[in-house]
Amino acid sequence: MEEEIRATSPWKDTVRQLRKNKFALIGFIIIITFILVGLFAPLLTPYGYEQQVLQDRLKPPSAEHWLGTDDVGRDIFTRIAYGARISLQVGFFAVTGALIFGTLFGLIAGYFGRWIDMIISRIFDIMLAFPSILLAIAIVAILGASLQNALIAIAIINIPIFGRLVRSKVISLREEEFILAARAQGMKNGRIIFHHILPNSLAPIIVQTTLGFGTAILDAAALGFLGLGAQPPLPEWGKMLADSRDFIQLAPWTLIAPGLCIMLVVLGFNLIGDGLRDALDPRMKN
């Protein structure tokens, strides 16, 4: 009697592996929670993130103000909720920009090699020679302090990370038999790159993209803390930390709330990234 053989797609198998990973599920729950809080912020709080009530300044957490108020009487929960929008948007757009340009340069350098690879690789080496946050500070200092310029700076400093990752993967693939067969059939380089090499390089790119979200949000908070990111009155978490430095002993809740949110979001993306790495790596499935 013939046995029925069931074939599952790699993506369905990845989803099945993720469902078994409790830490990855916790990461998804954390990130989805913050996404929902950011999306429905106007429905969750009756206050505006700019609204100041000086007589309510530095009030501790209560039924009226769940996370207390800051030094000018603004509701901290409201600013945390609206700040989730800013942090997640910065993470998304910065990582998307770094992903697009880093992947493109990595594909070109890894596939064509020779002097093209040398030029691109040396540029990556120069960028990686600087501490990432110092390079971001230098870029923002040149462009001017704003949320948009901080986003651009974070995207630029992450391009070499994606570029070197993709380059190393392409180098290992370009001499594979299926690539040589495609060349022998007269297939153009562009088609080989985007129809054969790129799809087979997606696993590490997806993992790095997920981990990159957490890094980008942390970098945005660092720039905001230094006054180089989002400018007042935008409720960016790093800027909220900077504004609460003078009230650590008098009103610690002004510092704890934004700091805890940054930690949880970065932790959530790291847990998802680790789960995806385990699910996409065939050596980890057994």
Side-chain angles (χ1 to χ4, degrees):
M1 185 175 180
E2 296 183 359
E3 294 183 359
E4 183 181 357
I5 299 176
R6 295 182 180 180
T8 59
S9 69
W11 297 114
K12 287 184 178 180
D13 188 46
T14 299
V15 172
R16 182 174 59 83
Q17 293 290 333
L18 281 175
R19 287 177 179 175
K20 295 180 180 180
N21 192 319
K22 295 181 180 179
F23 291 107
L25 292 178
I26 292 173
F28 276 111
I29 292 171
I30 293 173
I31 300 305
I32 290 172
T33 299
F34 276 98
I35 291 174
L36 293 177
V37 168
L39 288 175
F40 297 104
L43 302 178
L44 296 175
T45 172
Y47 307 102
Y49 67 83
E50 298 176 323
Q51 183 178 345
Q52 300 181 12
V53 184
L54 293 179
Q55 59 267 31
D56 290 340
R57 64 189 301 269
L58 298 178
K59 279 194 171 183
S62 62
E64 185 180 2
H65 300 285
W66 296 350
L67 297 178
T69 60
D70 63 9
D71 58 312
V72 291
R74 295 175 296 194
D75 182 68
I76 293 178
F77 174 76
T78 300
R79 293 178 63 77
I80 288 292
Y82 281 94
R85 293 182 174 185
I86 295 175
S87 294
L88 292 173
Q89 285 177 359
V90 168
F92 176 78
F93 288 108
V95 172
T96 299
L99 171 66
I100 292 172
F101 288 100
T103 301
L104 181 61
F105 290 138
L107 287 171
I108 293 173
Y111 185 79
F112 293 102
R114 298 183 180 179
W115 62 270
I116 297 178
D117 182 22
M118 183 185 68
I119 293 174
I120 294 176
S121 296
R122 294 299 79 75
I123 293 174
F124 287 166
D125 290 340
I126 292 171
M127 294 177 68
L128 291 171
F130 294 93
S132 59
I133 189 62
L134 291 182
L135 184 58
I137 291 172
I139 295 171
V140 174
I142 294 171
L143 299 178
S146 70
L147 181 63
Q148 291 76 15
N149 292 338
L151 189 154
I152 293 171
I154 295 169
I156 291 174
I157 65 175
N158 281 286
I159 287 175
I161 297 174
F162 285 94
R164 294 188 70 176
L165 177 68
V166 174
R167 173 184 173 273
S168 63
K169 186 66 176 178
V170 173
I171 290 175
S172 66
L173 288 172
R174 68 184 182 187
E175 301 301 329
E176 292 287 341
E177 293 182 357
F178 68 97
I179 300 297
L180 298 177
R183 288 177 186 161
Q185 293 175 358
M187 189 175 293
K188 295 182 178 180
N189 290 328
R191 186 174 178 83
I192 293 174
I193 291 173
F194 291 104
H195 286 262
H196 293 285
I197 291 181
L198 181 58
N200 285 281
S201 305
L202 286 180
I205 294 175
I206 292 172
V207 174
Q208 182 57 46
T209 300
T210 308
L211 297 173
F213 278 112
T215 303
I217 290 172
L218 201 59
D219 289 338
L223 291 174
F225 185 85
L226 296 172
L228 298 174
Q231 300 299 304
L234 290 178
E236 197 274 326
W237 294 340
K239 182 61 178 173
M240 291 176 66
L241 281 175
D243 294 339
S244 62
R245 283 178 298 177
D246 297 332
F247 310 102
I248 294 177
Q249 295 182 345
L250 180 63
W253 56 87
T254 60
L255 186 76
I256 292 173
L260 188 62
C261 288
I262 294 171
M263 184 271 289
L264 286 175
V265 170
V266 175
L267 175 64
F269 279 115
N270 286 342
L271 291 176
I272 295 172
D274 288 341
L276 283 171
R277 181 197 59 197
D278 295 344
L280 293 170
D281 189 348
R283 295 170 298 180
M284 303 292 293
K285 293 183 180 179
N286 293 324

